[in-house]
Amino acid sequence: MVQAGDINGDVHFHTMPLTSALRPAQLPGDVRGFINRTDELRHLDALLEDPSGTRQDAEALRIALVVGTAGVGKTSLAVRWAHRIKDRFPDGQLYVNLHGYDPAPSTIVADVLDRFLRALDVPVDRIPAGEEPRAELFRSVTAQRHVLIVLDNAAASGQIRPLLPGSPNCLVAITSRTRMSGLVAREGAHRVSVETLSQAESVRLLRTIIAEYRTDDDDAELAELARLCAHLPLALRIVAERAAARPRMPLRDLITELRDESGLWDALSSTGEGEADEADAVRAVFAWSYRALTPPAARMFRLLGLHPGPEFGVEAAAALLTTTTARARRQLDTLAGAHLLEECGHDRYQFHDLLRAYAIDQAQREESENDRRAALKRVLGWYLHSAAAAARAGSCTYAMPLTLEPLGDGVDPATFDDAKAAIAWYETERDNLTTAVRIASTNRMDRIAWQIPAALTMVVADREPADTWLPAQRVGLESARRVGDRYGEAITLDNLGIAYRHLFRLAEAEECFSAALRIFRDLGDTFGHARAANGLGVAHMFAHHVDDAEACFEQALERAGELDNPVYIGAFTRNLGWASLEREDSNRAEALLRRSADILADAQEPLEQAEALTLLAAVHRQTGRFTLAEQTAEQALAIAGEADGTLFASLALLELGRITLAQAKGTEALGHLQQAAVLFQRVGRPDLQAAAWDATGEVYLMLGRVEEAVAFHQQASAAFRSRGDRWSLALSLAHLAVALTQQGVLAEAREHRREALRLLEAFPGAAAEARRFEIEAQGTASDS
């Protein structure tokens, strides 16, 4: 029996309803001053053209592979082409910068798949853990859609293959510095090489950018300037902006400066032989442009190389430099105007990977080790304190209290007016936050490393697949242990327990909760003790170890009583009632759930109250008081609806379906269960949707529609099996066996009954014994 307590088992304050995603439109803006590339665009267009309808391998995925040296304009070409053809793909456009050549580690493919699936309107809780399952789901979701996918800055085929849809209706555009011969040979990618611009194209690009500022420059001098830039668009744009900013300076003087500039960047790596000239040109242009900056802008540029990721906001930049956001914005606009940064959104900027590497090198050359460490600590501290502020505004008070690592003078964390703004900030900064944990740990800033994921506990639990923060949480645990911070270790273990429980990795969840419980008990931390005991109890409930769960909930309730916190007392009392319901101890369950509902009503926690009432309705159904059960479930539904609690309303509908099924009101039951299943899908709860399917199968069997009953039970059993929920699987297989028996498929029915009985052998207690007796009786009846 799947009950309301399966939501997450924690005290849960809900702030934002889930909404459907819009059609994704993730392409960056088109490039200003795009020059020529007509041949390359024609070659790319050939991938789309098939006037006769006889395109070879018409069922194969179309892949455009744009390759060329660093700074040659691959991204500009791919984005320009994507904008030209996007109307052919009505289901949207997906874009990701894989940062394959960035100084920091490249983007994690599983995280990209998570982002893509969300953009395609897959509810968070339906996104599986791990790269391979996500890749399979991505192929399924895109199978019937027409989507354009741009994968920018890929370093290797291994980054690409999991991100490829399987449908010929989609098209993938990839940019890379490598030729990716394996992708061409195996996947049939259509490779287009991007060479440096011709002299005429280079001169035209320069003139386009400087046209509003300089009109009398000689073509020969522009050609010489282009030669010094090795005809690379990245270098040409930087030089053109410099020329435009100094309209009265003769171009020959700029040429002399650039020609005389010695390379300052010895560590720049090239992608292959024959590219030394281009590398030298880029090196010289960067150094020349960097030296022309004012001291504050130059320091901003090099310190930005220390930022956790290549994209950042104005406030994070201000923290690095200990300045105001207004001054930081001015410096960032100066850098963007010089093409040393790119503006990628309101008050947000990003580095080209070559420029980021150059900035890091300049920071190492010009900033002392102490100054670099101080700047890094400022920005990591800014992320920590901003994350804590976002959690306070956007989630619940169930997160453990933290004494945050102190923030340096002159650094102001982000503030949020409401939950919506807080969650929007978190979603924008997610990658920087996870990277900040790793960088903090690497640099032995261990309190920051464990406190960032600790501060975000409930934000993450409410809106992320459970494995999203696992790597960061493991890093945090290592950091807490390294400095002997037992409180930090306990909090991190508790958070890991929540993640493992959501992944249904129950043995690991129980191990983490038990370890956290021991530490909290040793520290005399009452709140932590209550939290870990409750978490362990929910993990036991998921495993259907009800007696163990009950003991944990009693511990949690006792500690909550010491805290005199009515919300926790009400919630933990409800969980005890849930355990009693599963043990079929109806009298105790009713008393506990009534008390819980009253406490939570007085505490003005309507959704928690609705959950308690739904469980109370199940007790009434279990004891045959169907009218009272129906009234109680309707009350829960009304309260959840008023509070915008879609998930809690769905649970009440599921219980109403079960109540009306018990009264043989088939049509009414189907209505409730169908509505519940749709809402469970909407809020991303496939496990509860499976419970609705299983109950629907029982209704169809009651109505004599055996074939439909079998189909629904099969669907439910498959869902429970994939989750690893052996208790629910056993009950669903027993229902399937009954339906198959009525269908006359006796051998298959017997096999399902045998599997159900084998599964139930692992569960102690009267409830499991009763289920075994029922299944054995069904087998005896069907065989007689």
Side-chain angles (χ1 to χ4, degrees):
M1 179 187 296
V2 180
Q3 289 294 347
D6 286 351
I7 292 169
N8 66 18
D10 299 322
V11 182
H12 200 90
F13 295 67
H14 302 265
T15 56
M16 294 181 65
L18 293 170
T19 57
S20 295
L22 299 174
R23 186 188 75 162
Q26 297 181 349
L27 292 179
D30 206 352
V31 183
R32 181 174 71 90
F34 188 85
I35 295 298
N36 206 343
R37 299 299 191 193
T38 53
D39 289 343
E40 290 89 343
L41 288 168
R42 186 171 64 252
H43 288 309
L44 289 169
D45 286 340
L47 193 60
L48 295 173
E49 293 170 1
D50 183 28
S52 64
T54 58
R55 180 168 65 87
Q56 188 177 6
D57 297 327
E59 294 304 309
L61 173 68
R62 292 168 293 178
I63 304 173
L65 177 59
V66 179
V67 301
T69 190
V72 79
K74 301 180 296 296
T75 298
S76 296
L77 174 63
V79 170
R80 166 57 61 96
W81 184 57
H83 277 286
R84 282 177 36 157
I85 65 172
K86 64 184 180 183
D87 289 345
R88 298 181 183 226
F89 299 91
D91 295 314
Q93 315 101 44
L94 300 171
Y95 170 88
V96 65
N97 186 343
L98 294 169
H99 297 293
Y101 304 96
D102 197 81
S106 57
T107 304
I108 298 171
V109 173
D111 291 346
V112 177
L113 287 164
D114 172 45
R115 275 183 248 163
F116 281 0
L117 289 166
R118 293 186 197 215
L120 293 169
D121 214 10
V122 177
V124 171
D125 282 352
R126 294 193 65 192
I127 298 174
E131 179 182 304
E132 188 174 343
R134 288 181 183 177
E136 292 171 356
L137 180 58
F138 180 62
R139 290 192 292 272
S140 298
V141 169
T142 55
Q144 302 302 320
R145 303 196 195 192
H146 295 73
V147 180
L148 173 61
I149 303 162
V150 179
L151 308 176
D152 200 10
N153 287 316
S157 299
Q159 273 188 303
I160 295 300
R161 289 195 171 96
L163 301 173
L164 298 178
S167 168
N169 300 325
C170 298
L171 185 145
V172 180
I174 302 163
T175 72
S176 180
R177 295 183 200 172
T178 60
R179 293 180 60 80
M180 293 203 175
S181 299
L183 205 65
V184 173
R186 286 178 54 184
E187 279 77 20
H190 181 74
R191 184 164 53 209
V192 174
S193 296
V194 183
E195 307 298 335
T196 55
L197 295 173
S198 68
Q199 178 176 299
E201 290 168 338
S202 299
V203 170
R204 182 181 165 198
L205 175 58
L206 290 169
R207 281 209 181 278
T208 299
I209 296 173
I210 67 176
E212 295 181 22
Y213 309 94
R214 310 173 63 102
T215 57
D216 298 328
D217 292 318
D218 182 71
D219 275 357
E221 290 182 332
L222 288 171
E224 174 64 9
L225 201 58
R227 186 188 67 76
L228 291 170
C229 294
H231 303 290
L232 287 167
L234 175 63
L236 287 165
R237 290 179 186 279
I238 292 172
V239 168
E241 290 291 350
R242 178 87 181 277
R246 305 171 75 179
R248 298 185 184 280
M249 184 178 188
L251 200 60
R252 60 181 173 274
D253 291 348
L254 288 173
I255 292 169
T256 300
E257 282 187 10
L258 183 54
R259 187 185 290 125
D260 292 343
E261 179 64 59
S262 59
L264 297 178
W265 185 18
D266 297 328
L268 176 67
S269 60
S270 60
T271 57
E273 268 185 58
E275 296 182 355
D277 290 343
E278 287 89 347
D280 288 342
V282 170
R283 212 164 33 231
V285 169
F286 288 176
W288 178 62
S289 185
Y290 173 70
R291 284 188 178 185
L293 296 171
T294 64
R299 188 158 196 257
M300 173 68 82
F301 175 79
R302 60 181 179 262
L303 288 183
L304 284 170
L306 305 176
H307 184 269
E311 182 188 318
F312 44 83
V314 172
E315 290 175 307
L320 271 167
L321 210 63
T322 324
T323 189
T324 65
T325 55
R327 289 174 183 165
R329 188 180 291 108
R330 285 197 294 271
Q331 302 301 343
L332 292 168
D333 287 343
T334 297
L335 296 174
H339 271 285
L340 296 175
L341 285 179
E342 178 185 352
E343 195 168 3
C344 58
H346 175 63
D347 273 355
R348 292 196 72 78
Y349 300 81
Q350 65 183 3
F351 269 120
H352 188 285
D353 51 7
L354 292 179
L355 282 160
R356 187 177 183 211
Y358 182 77
I360 292 170
D361 186 74
Q362 295 313 302
Q364 291 171 342
R365 288 173 180 269
E366 298 187 39
E367 300 284 338
S368 70
E369 182 178 350
N370 286 341
D371 285 348
R372 291 199 306 272
R373 183 172 180 82
L376 181 61
K377 188 172 183 180
R378 285 194 299 270
V379 74
L380 295 177
W382 181 86
Y383 275 109
L384 167 61
H385 283 257
S386 299
R392 286 192 297 271
S395 66
C396 75
T397 58
Y398 189 60
M400 289 293 296
L402 295 175
T403 302
L404 298 178
E405 179 73 4
L407 194 57
D409 293 338
V411 179
D412 297 318
T415 57
F416 307 98
D417 293 333
D418 53 34
K420 184 176 181 181
I423 300 309
W425 178 87
Y426 165 76
E427 291 175 347
T428 298
E429 299 290 359
R430 180 192 297 111
D431 290 349
N432 286 332
L433 288 162
T434 55
T435 305
V437 173
R438 178 181 54 78
I439 290 176
S441 182
T442 300
N443 287 274
R444 298 298 191 265
M445 299 178 189
D446 292 303
R447 280 173 57 80
I448 293 176
W450 73 256
Q451 285 187 347
I452 289 176
L456 290 167
T457 297
M458 296 314 298
V459 174
V460 171
D462 276 356
R463 54 190 44 82
E464 297 286 9
D467 65 333
T468 300
W469 276 79
L470 267 181
Q473 288 166 331
R474 291 186 185 123
V475 169
L477 181 61
E478 179 184 336
S479 285
R481 285 174 169 167
R482 183 164 54 219
V483 294
D485 191 330
R486 299 199 76 209
Y487 184 70
E489 181 182 2
I491 290 175
T492 308
L493 283 165
D494 192 75
N495 292 340
L496 280 166
I498 293 171
Y500 285 131
R501 191 179 67 211
H502 287 178
L503 291 167
F504 219 76
R505 291 161 60 174
L506 299 182
E508 291 163 284
E510 290 174 14
E511 182 180 346
C512 288
F513 283 127
S514 296
L517 182 59
R518 286 193 296 272
I519 297 172
F520 282 130
R521 188 186 291 123
D522 290 346
L523 294 174
D525 189 298
T526 304
F527 181 64
H529 186 165
R531 172 184 162 123
N534 181 66
L536 181 58
V538 176
H540 286 318
M541 287 296 290
F542 276 24
H544 209 76
H545 298 155
V546 181
D547 290 345
D548 293 335
E550 190 171 48
C552 290
F553 292 146
E554 285 172 347
Q555 271 193 67
L557 182 57
E558 187 176 344
R559 301 289 86 77
E562 293 171 15
L563 294 168
D564 195 25
N565 186 307
V567 176
Y568 304 137
I569 291 171
F572 299 156
T573 300
R574 180 197 60 212
N575 286 351
L576 264 177
W578 173 30
S580 296
L581 174 64
E582 291 297 310
R583 291 178 59 213
E584 300 184 2
D585 184 349
S586 301
N587 290 334
R588 185 164 188 258
E590 181 174 354
L592 288 166
L593 291 168
R594 282 189 185 281
R595 188 187 315 155
S596 167
D598 290 343
I599 293 170
L600 292 167
D602 290 341
Q604 296 184 340
E605 285 296 331
L607 296 179
E608 307 299 331
Q609 179 194 6
E611 184 177 353
L613 288 170
T614 299
L615 287 164
L616 183 59
V619 174
H620 296 324
R621 169 175 55 84
Q622 207 175 65
T623 54
R625 293 173 289 173
F626 299 126
T627 300
L628 184 56
E630 204 162 351
Q631 291 170 350
T632 307
E634 291 283 6
Q635 183 185 359
L637 180 61
I639 291 171
E642 234 177 89
D644 265 343
T646 303
L647 176 56
F648 293 86
S650 309
L651 288 161
L653 285 165
L654 173 58
E655 182 54 40
L656 279 167
R658 288 171 168 156
I659 294 164
T660 47
L661 167 63
Q663 297 175 84
K665 299 177 181 177
T667 303
E668 192 175 342
L670 284 177
H672 292 315
L673 293 171
Q674 181 182 20
Q675 193 177 356
V678 169
L679 292 177
F680 284 137
Q681 182 179 28
R682 185 179 301 168
V683 299
R685 288 304 303 263
D687 53 331
L688 293 170
Q689 186 179 30
W693 289 337
D694 201 46
T696 301
E698 293 184 86
V699 177
Y700 276 126
L701 190 64
M702 182 189 70
L703 295 172
R705 296 163 64 174
V706 179
E707 189 174 338
E708 288 159 293
V710 167
F712 272 97
H713 287 313
Q714 287 173 332
Q715 196 171 357
S717 297
F720 290 133
R721 192 183 299 279
S722 67
R723 178 174 165 82
D725 185 345
R726 295 186 300 166
W727 174 263
S728 299
L729 174 60
L731 302 189
S732 184
L733 287 171
H735 295 151
L736 176 58
V738 173
L740 286 169
T741 299
Q742 290 203 22
Q743 199 177 35
V745 187
L746 301 182
E748 189 177 343
R750 278 194 294 271
E751 181 55 40
H752 288 314
R753 270 195 300 273
R754 281 196 291 267
E755 183 182 0
L757 288 169
R758 284 197 303 272
L759 289 167
L760 287 171
E761 284 174 5
F763 297 99
E769 182 61 35
R771 300 294 86 74
R772 288 194 294 271
F773 178 80
E774 290 169 4
I775 294 168
E776 287 167 351
Q778 290 164 3
T780 302
S782 66
D783 291 338
S784 60

